[in-house]
Amino acid sequence: MQQLDFPVWLRVEHWLNVLFLTLLIRSGIEIIATHPKLYWRNDSRPGTEWARFTRKRMPKDKLYDTLDEEESYSSIVSLPGHRQLGMGRHWHFVSVIGWILTGLVYVVLLFATGQWHRYMPTSWSIFPTAWDDLMTYLSFDLPPLLPGQPLDALQKLAYAGVIFLLAPFQILTGAAQSPAVEARFPRYVRLFGGRQAARSLHFLGLVAFLVFIAVHLTMIVSWGWPELNALMLFGEVRDLNAALWLSLGVLAAVVLVHVVATVVSLRSPRRVQQGLGFVVNSFRRLVLRRLISRQDYSRSKLSVEHRVNGKPPCSTEYKLMAVHNFADWRLEIGGLVERPMTLTLDDLRALREPHSQRVLHNCVQGWSSIGEWGGVPLREVVELVRPLPQARHLCFLTMQDTGRDEPGAEGAGQFYEVVDLELAREPQTLLAYEMNGGPLPIKHGAPLRLRVETQVGFKMAKWIERIEFVSGYSCIGKGMGGWREDNVFYDKDVEV
């Protein structure tokens, strides 16, 4: 085999890419598990999925919510597994950041050192040569390498496609699934056919990566595992046995990272949540927090069926209010405000004519739906009560039965969600009491729910009864910013 000088930086980048890519694949599978169905249309209407990875069939004679559709995948394939959506998302986002940074350094160094010649085609003649190479592979033989290069023509095209097409494609379709990006740049998401089409394309990109990895490993074995390992690890063929054992050691280290990440995530979820959350939340504040929603789906049809997330309250008090069209319901607003007050539904309606917006709802589990919401912009209520200077967040307290919504979760008590005051003042943040031209249905949060278009759906508290202005949320519940953040997405008891 000819000598091929692989620079040290390229060898390091190769193994970092292996680590981050495998973390992305496993955490991505964990995210898919929470809504194991894929669609092409934004409404995610049940029965229209083109792919499903579950045997569950939802009942047609009673109310179910999307939590009932979740699957619990094994930790062998998903990170961390066992319906740990929040932890899977954190691992995915941190791995994305690491993978993109690794890729940027890789591409810069490729062009700075001239190594790009190995992967970037420079002549159209490579295509007929690649076809000849494919025919050679199909005849169970190995084609010749390109002169002075480590790859044959087909391999060179494959590497160029992965580096310069597939990887950017995954980044772009992944960004199209961000509620903040979708809300601020709806036209960008439409380039992929909508949010659900972007999710499906992202999944197909994952399949393409898996196929590439399988073929890549096959080629390594075919061309000679010891020799290629020696080249990748040392830059030259020296001690083949040492190269073999060192490569196995590097692979073992990658596997060890996965094992540790999985075990620690399941055994110490709160610590992992805080550690990964620091990275993820810092990135969100720096990049995504400044994005203000500009959604307008006024030309799009309303979804025939808007999925339900969270089960309605079942208390006698709530049922009595519902029977009387919530005439006895009251919204209490207090905390760090100059003018605490109590409002009825009629009071909210009297604040102004209902503000209406047709927007795309993005659920944390992956499904989406187009709905038209009517109500009062939250910023008008904020101005009405006049927050004190030390007020930084709003805590929404609801009538939701936490034990019924998530059986077995710790911290049974009143459901709450926290958003910051800056979000509350954004133009499309809404206290909604209407949906699709009529009164807000019970299953969607009647008499009042929150709409924050740059956030995932679980932050949009339903069945609200009180809004508390606070300086911070570290003393609320377990201090992570919401009931589900405290008790569901990051803090389930799982035996390892």
Side-chain angles (χ1 to χ4, degrees), residues 2-31:
Q2 62 189 35
Q3 295 295 94
L4 306 169
D5 183 21
F6 286 97
V8 173
W9 65 264
L10 192 147
R11 300 174 224 158
V12 174
E13 287 270 340
H14 173 270
W15 290 110
L16 285 175
N17 184 63
V18 170
L19 174 62
F20 286 123
L21 189 56
T22 51
L23 288 172
L24 281 170
I25 291 171
R26 290 186 62 231
S27 58
I29 293 173
E30 176 66 25
I31 294 172

mmCIF file of all heavy atoms in Angstrom, residues 2-31:
data_model
loop_
_atom_site.group_PDB
_atom_site.id
_atom_site.type_symbol
_atom_site.label_atom_id
_atom_site.label_comp_id
_atom_site.label_asym_id
_atom_site.label_seq_id
_atom_site.Cartn_x
_atom_site.Cartn_y
_atom_site.Cartn_z
ATOM 1 N N GLN A 2 0.502 2.286 -0.821
ATOM 2 C CA GLN A 2 1.304 3.482 -0.909
ATOM 3 C C GLN A 2 1.233 4.288 0.377
ATOM 4 O O GLN A 2 0.290 4.205 1.135
ATOM 5 C CB GLN A 2 0.821 4.348 -2.086
ATOM 6 C CG GLN A 2 -0.632 4.810 -1.908
ATOM 7 C CD GLN A 2 -1.164 5.466 -3.155
ATOM 8 O OE1 GLN A 2 -0.835 5.092 -4.260
ATOM 9 N NE2 GLN A 2 -1.994 6.459 -2.976
ATOM 10 N N GLN A 3 2.284 5.067 0.640
ATOM 11 C CA GLN A 3 2.322 5.900 1.822
ATOM 12 C C GLN A 3 1.351 7.072 1.663
ATOM 13 O O GLN A 3 1.350 7.771 0.645
ATOM 14 C CB GLN A 3 3.739 6.425 2.043
ATOM 15 C CG GLN A 3 4.732 5.317 2.364
ATOM 16 C CD GLN A 3 4.406 4.648 3.681
ATOM 17 O OE1 GLN A 3 3.725 3.636 3.708
ATOM 18 N NE2 GLN A 3 4.847 5.221 4.764
ATOM 19 N N LEU A 4 0.528 7.302 2.666
ATOM 20 C CA LEU A 4 -0.459 8.375 2.651
ATOM 21 C C LEU A 4 -0.310 9.155 3.946
ATOM 22 O O LEU A 4 -0.574 8.615 5.021
ATOM 23 C CB LEU A 4 -1.878 7.807 2.541
ATOM 24 C CG LEU A 4 -2.127 6.857 1.368
ATOM 25 C CD1 LEU A 4 -3.456 6.165 1.538
ATOM 26 C CD2 LEU A 4 -2.065 7.595 0.047
ATOM 27 N N ASP A 5 0.154 10.380 3.852
ATOM 28 C CA ASP A 5 0.439 11.157 5.039
ATOM 29 C C ASP A 5 -0.842 11.804 5.571
ATOM 30 O O ASP A 5 -1.312 12.804 5.031
ATOM 31 C CB ASP A 5 1.481 12.220 4.715
ATOM 32 C CG ASP A 5 1.864 13.006 5.967
ATOM 33 O OD1 ASP A 5 1.651 12.477 7.064
ATOM 34 O OD2 ASP A 5 2.348 14.132 5.808
ATOM 35 N N PHE A 6 -1.428 11.220 6.605
ATOM 36 C CA PHE A 6 -2.584 11.811 7.263
ATOM 37 C C PHE A 6 -2.079 12.744 8.357
ATOM 38 O O PHE A 6 -1.434 12.290 9.307
ATOM 39 C CB PHE A 6 -3.485 10.738 7.888
ATOM 40 C CG PHE A 6 -4.277 9.959 6.881
ATOM 41 C CD1 PHE A 6 -3.842 8.733 6.430
ATOM 42 C CD2 PHE A 6 -5.466 10.467 6.387
ATOM 43 C CE1 PHE A 6 -4.565 8.009 5.503
ATOM 44 C CE2 PHE A 6 -6.204 9.754 5.457
ATOM 45 C CZ PHE A 6 -5.754 8.527 5.011
ATOM 46 N N PRO A 7 -2.347 14.051 8.272
ATOM 47 C CA PRO A 7 -1.881 14.974 9.304
ATOM 48 C C PRO A 7 -2.469 14.620 10.672
ATOM 49 O O PRO A 7 -3.534 14.008 10.773
ATOM 50 C CB PRO A 7 -2.399 16.335 8.822
ATOM 51 C CG PRO A 7 -2.705 16.159 7.380
ATOM 52 C CD PRO A 7 -3.091 14.729 7.206
ATOM 53 N N VAL A 8 -1.781 15.037 11.726
ATOM 54 C CA VAL A 8 -2.235 14.743 13.085
ATOM 55 C C VAL A 8 -3.621 15.325 13.328
ATOM 56 O O VAL A 8 -4.496 14.670 13.916
ATOM 57 C CB VAL A 8 -1.224 15.300 14.114
ATOM 58 C CG1 VAL A 8 -1.771 15.149 15.529
ATOM 59 C CG2 VAL A 8 0.114 14.596 13.981
ATOM 60 N N TRP A 9 -3.855 16.579 12.856
ATOM 61 C CA TRP A 9 -5.148 17.205 13.100
ATOM 62 C C TRP A 9 -6.275 16.418 12.449
ATOM 63 O O TRP A 9 -7.383 16.322 12.990
ATOM 64 C CB TRP A 9 -5.164 18.651 12.604
ATOM 65 C CG TRP A 9 -5.015 18.825 11.127
ATOM 66 C CD1 TRP A 9 -3.872 19.081 10.435
ATOM 67 C CD2 TRP A 9 -6.070 18.745 10.141
ATOM 68 N NE1 TRP A 9 -4.120 19.166 9.082
ATOM 69 C CE2 TRP A 9 -5.466 18.967 8.876
ATOM 70 C CE3 TRP A 9 -7.438 18.508 10.202
ATOM 71 C CZ2 TRP A 9 -6.186 18.962 7.685
ATOM 72 C CZ3 TRP A 9 -8.166 18.499 9.025
ATOM 73 C CH2 TRP A 9 -7.551 18.723 7.785
ATOM 74 N N LEU A 10 -6.008 15.833 11.273
ATOM 75 C CA LEU A 10 -7.048 15.067 10.583
ATOM 76 C C LEU A 10 -7.383 13.797 11.355
ATOM 77 O O LEU A 10 -8.550 13.401 11.450
ATOM 78 C CB LEU A 10 -6.595 14.746 9.164
ATOM 79 C CG LEU A 10 -7.665 14.210 8.214
ATOM 80 C CD1 LEU A 10 -7.393 14.666 6.798
ATOM 81 C CD2 LEU A 10 -7.744 12.691 8.258
ATOM 82 N N ARG A 11 -6.349 13.163 11.929
ATOM 83 C CA ARG A 11 -6.600 11.947 12.718
ATOM 84 C C ARG A 11 -7.437 12.259 13.952
ATOM 85 O O ARG A 11 -8.373 11.539 14.281
ATOM 86 C CB ARG A 11 -5.271 11.319 13.132
ATOM 87 C CG ARG A 11 -4.366 10.920 11.980
ATOM 88 C CD ARG A 11 -3.026 10.442 12.502
ATOM 89 N NE ARG A 11 -1.930 11.018 11.711
ATOM 90 C CZ ARG A 11 -0.695 11.130 12.140
ATOM 91 N NH1 ARG A 11 -0.379 10.718 13.348
ATOM 92 N NH2 ARG A 11 0.230 11.649 11.367
ATOM 93 N N VAL A 12 -7.101 13.375 14.641
ATOM 94 C CA VAL A 12 -7.866 13.768 15.830
ATOM 95 C C VAL A 12 -9.300 14.112 15.456
ATOM 96 O O VAL A 12 -10.263 13.696 16.122
ATOM 97 C CB VAL A 12 -7.185 14.966 16.528
ATOM 98 C CG1 VAL A 12 -8.053 15.479 17.678
ATOM 99 C CG2 VAL A 12 -5.802 14.560 17.047
ATOM 100 N N GLU A 13 -9.468 14.885 14.377
ATOM 101 C CA GLU A 13 -10.808 15.277 13.923
ATOM 102 C C GLU A 13 -11.648 14.049 13.560
ATOM 103 O O GLU A 13 -12.856 14.010 13.809
ATOM 104 C CB GLU A 13 -10.685 16.198 12.708
ATOM 105 C CG GLU A 13 -10.191 17.589 13.024
ATOM 106 C CD GLU A 13 -11.329 18.532 13.327
ATOM 107 O OE1 GLU A 13 -12.465 18.236 12.935
ATOM 108 O OE2 GLU A 13 -11.077 19.573 13.957
ATOM 109 N N HIS A 14 -11.016 13.055 12.974
ATOM 110 C CA HIS A 14 -11.729 11.838 12.578
ATOM 111 C C HIS A 14 -12.381 11.183 13.786
ATOM 112 O O HIS A 14 -13.570 10.832 13.764
ATOM 113 C CB HIS A 14 -10.764 10.874 11.897
ATOM 114 C CG HIS A 14 -11.360 9.526 11.611
ATOM 115 N ND1 HIS A 14 -11.306 8.480 12.510
ATOM 116 C CD2 HIS A 14 -12.037 9.052 10.525
ATOM 117 C CE1 HIS A 14 -11.907 7.434 11.994
ATOM 118 N NE2 HIS A 14 -12.362 7.742 10.792
ATOM 119 N N TRP A 15 -11.631 11.033 14.871
ATOM 120 C CA TRP A 15 -12.183 10.331 16.032
ATOM 121 C C TRP A 15 -13.154 11.197 16.818
ATOM 122 O O TRP A 15 -14.115 10.687 17.404
ATOM 123 C CB TRP A 15 -11.049 9.822 16.912
ATOM 124 C CG TRP A 15 -10.290 8.702 16.252
ATOM 125 C CD1 TRP A 15 -9.012 8.741 15.758
ATOM 126 C CD2 TRP A 15 -10.790 7.388 15.979
ATOM 127 N NE1 TRP A 15 -8.680 7.539 15.198
ATOM 128 C CE2 TRP A 15 -9.759 6.681 15.317
ATOM 129 C CE3 TRP A 15 -11.996 6.734 16.215
ATOM 130 C CZ2 TRP A 15 -9.893 5.360 14.907
ATOM 131 C CZ3 TRP A 15 -12.147 5.421 15.807
ATOM 132 C CH2 TRP A 15 -11.107 4.752 15.156
ATOM 133 N N LEU A 16 -12.930 12.526 16.821
ATOM 134 C CA LEU A 16 -13.917 13.405 17.441
ATOM 135 C C LEU A 16 -15.237 13.343 16.680
ATOM 136 O O LEU A 16 -16.323 13.346 17.274
ATOM 137 C CB LEU A 16 -13.410 14.847 17.469
ATOM 138 C CG LEU A 16 -12.336 15.180 18.510
ATOM 139 C CD1 LEU A 16 -11.856 16.612 18.333
ATOM 140 C CD2 LEU A 16 -12.870 14.962 19.923
ATOM 141 N N ASN A 17 -15.152 13.277 15.359
ATOM 142 C CA ASN A 17 -16.356 13.157 14.540
ATOM 143 C C ASN A 17 -17.094 11.854 14.839
ATOM 144 O O ASN A 17 -18.327 11.828 14.919
ATOM 145 C CB ASN A 17 -15.980 13.230 13.062
ATOM 146 C CG ASN A 17 -17.194 13.206 12.161
ATOM 147 O OD1 ASN A 17 -18.025 14.107 12.195
ATOM 148 N ND2 ASN A 17 -17.309 12.167 11.346
ATOM 149 N N VAL A 18 -16.336 10.775 15.003
ATOM 150 C CA VAL A 18 -16.958 9.494 15.364
ATOM 151 C C VAL A 18 -17.718 9.624 16.683
ATOM 152 O O VAL A 18 -18.867 9.171 16.809
ATOM 153 C CB VAL A 18 -15.887 8.389 15.467
ATOM 154 C CG1 VAL A 18 -16.483 7.120 16.079
ATOM 155 C CG2 VAL A 18 -15.299 8.081 14.097
ATOM 156 N N LEU A 19 -17.099 10.267 17.667
ATOM 157 C CA LEU A 19 -17.741 10.416 18.972
ATOM 158 C C LEU A 19 -19.020 11.231 18.875
ATOM 159 O O LEU A 19 -20.098 10.790 19.313
ATOM 160 C CB LEU A 19 -16.767 11.074 19.947
ATOM 161 C CG LEU A 19 -17.348 11.427 21.328
ATOM 162 C CD1 LEU A 19 -17.817 10.173 22.047
ATOM 163 C CD2 LEU A 19 -16.335 12.192 22.157
ATOM 164 N N PHE A 20 -18.940 12.436 18.306
ATOM 165 C CA PHE A 20 -20.112 13.313 18.270
ATOM 166 C C PHE A 20 -21.209 12.746 17.371
ATOM 167 O O PHE A 20 -22.401 12.871 17.691
ATOM 168 C CB PHE A 20 -19.713 14.711 17.797
ATOM 169 C CG PHE A 20 -18.964 15.500 18.820
ATOM 170 C CD1 PHE A 20 -17.705 16.008 18.542
ATOM 171 C CD2 PHE A 20 -19.504 15.732 20.075
ATOM 172 C CE1 PHE A 20 -17.002 16.736 19.486
ATOM 173 C CE2 PHE A 20 -18.820 16.462 21.034
ATOM 174 C CZ PHE A 20 -17.562 16.964 20.739
ATOM 175 N N LEU A 21 -20.825 12.118 16.269
ATOM 176 C CA LEU A 21 -21.834 11.580 15.363
ATOM 177 C C LEU A 21 -22.599 10.433 16.009
ATOM 178 O O LEU A 21 -23.826 10.337 15.877
ATOM 179 C CB LEU A 21 -21.172 11.115 14.063
ATOM 180 C CG LEU A 21 -22.105 10.725 12.917
ATOM 181 C CD1 LEU A 21 -23.040 11.870 12.571
ATOM 182 C CD2 LEU A 21 -21.302 10.313 11.692
ATOM 183 N N THR A 22 -21.910 9.564 16.732
ATOM 184 C CA THR A 22 -22.604 8.456 17.402
ATOM 185 C C THR A 22 -23.473 8.962 18.550
ATOM 186 O O THR A 22 -24.559 8.426 18.795
ATOM 187 C CB THR A 22 -21.597 7.421 17.910
ATOM 188 O OG1 THR A 22 -20.561 8.072 18.679
ATOM 189 C CG2 THR A 22 -20.954 6.666 16.753
ATOM 190 N N LEU A 23 -23.024 10.002 19.251
ATOM 191 C CA LEU A 23 -23.871 10.612 20.284
ATOM 192 C C LEU A 23 -25.123 11.217 19.663
ATOM 193 O O LEU A 23 -26.234 11.098 20.214
ATOM 194 C CB LEU A 23 -23.095 11.687 21.046
ATOM 195 C CG LEU A 23 -22.005 11.210 22.010
ATOM 196 C CD1 LEU A 23 -21.199 12.398 22.531
ATOM 197 C CD2 LEU A 23 -22.600 10.420 23.176
ATOM 198 N N LEU A 24 -24.967 11.844 18.509
ATOM 199 C CA LEU A 24 -26.119 12.428 17.813
ATOM 200 C C LEU A 24 -27.113 11.363 17.385
ATOM 201 O O LEU A 24 -28.334 11.545 17.510
ATOM 202 C CB LEU A 24 -25.641 13.213 16.587
ATOM 203 C CG LEU A 24 -25.081 14.610 16.845
ATOM 204 C CD1 LEU A 24 -24.420 15.158 15.580
ATOM 205 C CD2 LEU A 24 -26.185 15.545 17.301
ATOM 206 N N ILE A 25 -26.605 10.250 16.879
ATOM 207 C CA ILE A 25 -27.494 9.193 16.402
ATOM 208 C C ILE A 25 -28.307 8.618 17.557
ATOM 209 O O ILE A 25 -29.536 8.497 17.469
ATOM 210 C CB ILE A 25 -26.680 8.092 15.698
ATOM 211 C CG1 ILE A 25 -26.111 8.611 14.375
ATOM 212 C CG2 ILE A 25 -27.535 6.849 15.450
ATOM 213 C CD1 ILE A 25 -25.129 7.673 13.710
ATOM 214 N N ARG A 26 -27.650 8.289 18.657
ATOM 215 C CA ARG A 26 -28.366 7.666 19.789
ATOM 216 C C ARG A 26 -29.340 8.649 20.446
ATOM 217 O O ARG A 26 -30.474 8.284 20.777
ATOM 218 C CB ARG A 26 -27.381 7.132 20.820
ATOM 219 C CG ARG A 26 -26.596 5.920 20.338
ATOM 220 C CD ARG A 26 -25.737 5.331 21.444
ATOM 221 N NE ARG A 26 -26.542 4.858 22.561
ATOM 222 C CZ ARG A 26 -26.307 5.189 23.834
ATOM 223 N NH1 ARG A 26 -25.315 5.997 24.153
ATOM 224 N NH2 ARG A 26 -27.076 4.694 24.781
ATOM 225 N N SER A 27 -28.919 9.892 20.640
ATOM 226 C CA SER A 27 -29.833 10.866 21.252
ATOM 227 C C SER A 27 -30.966 11.219 20.298
ATOM 228 O O SER A 27 -32.095 11.492 20.731
ATOM 229 C CB SER A 27 -29.055 12.124 21.656
ATOM 230 O OG SER A 27 -28.391 12.708 20.552
ATOM 231 N N GLY A 28 -30.689 11.198 18.990
ATOM 232 C CA GLY A 28 -31.754 11.428 18.021
ATOM 233 C C GLY A 28 -32.812 10.342 18.062
ATOM 234 O O GLY A 28 -34.009 10.616 17.928
ATOM 235 N N ILE A 29 -32.381 9.108 18.253
ATOM 236 C CA ILE A 29 -33.334 7.994 18.384
ATOM 237 C C ILE A 29 -34.188 8.179 19.633
ATOM 238 O O ILE A 29 -35.393 7.884 19.630
ATOM 239 C CB ILE A 29 -32.580 6.651 18.411
ATOM 240 C CG1 ILE A 29 -31.932 6.392 17.051
ATOM 241 C CG2 ILE A 29 -33.510 5.498 18.778
ATOM 242 C CD1 ILE A 29 -31.024 5.177 17.013
ATOM 243 N N GLU A 30 -33.592 8.701 20.714
ATOM 244 C CA GLU A 30 -34.368 8.970 21.934
ATOM 245 C C GLU A 30 -35.448 10.015 21.674
ATOM 246 O O GLU A 30 -36.576 9.899 22.172
ATOM 247 C CB GLU A 30 -33.428 9.450 23.046
ATOM 248 C CG GLU A 30 -34.121 9.844 24.335
ATOM 249 C CD GLU A 30 -34.792 8.662 25.029
ATOM 250 O OE1 GLU A 30 -34.352 7.510 24.814
ATOM 251 O OE2 GLU A 30 -35.756 8.890 25.774
ATOM 252 N N ILE A 31 -35.122 11.025 20.876
ATOM 253 C CA ILE A 31 -36.105 12.064 20.558
ATOM 254 C C ILE A 31 -37.226 11.492 19.695
ATOM 255 O O ILE A 31 -38.408 11.773 19.920
ATOM 256 C CB ILE A 31 -35.410 13.242 19.849
ATOM 257 C CG1 ILE A 31 -34.429 13.933 20.813
ATOM 258 C CG2 ILE A 31 -36.432 14.244 19.326
ATOM 259 C CD1 ILE A 31 -33.560 14.977 20.157
#
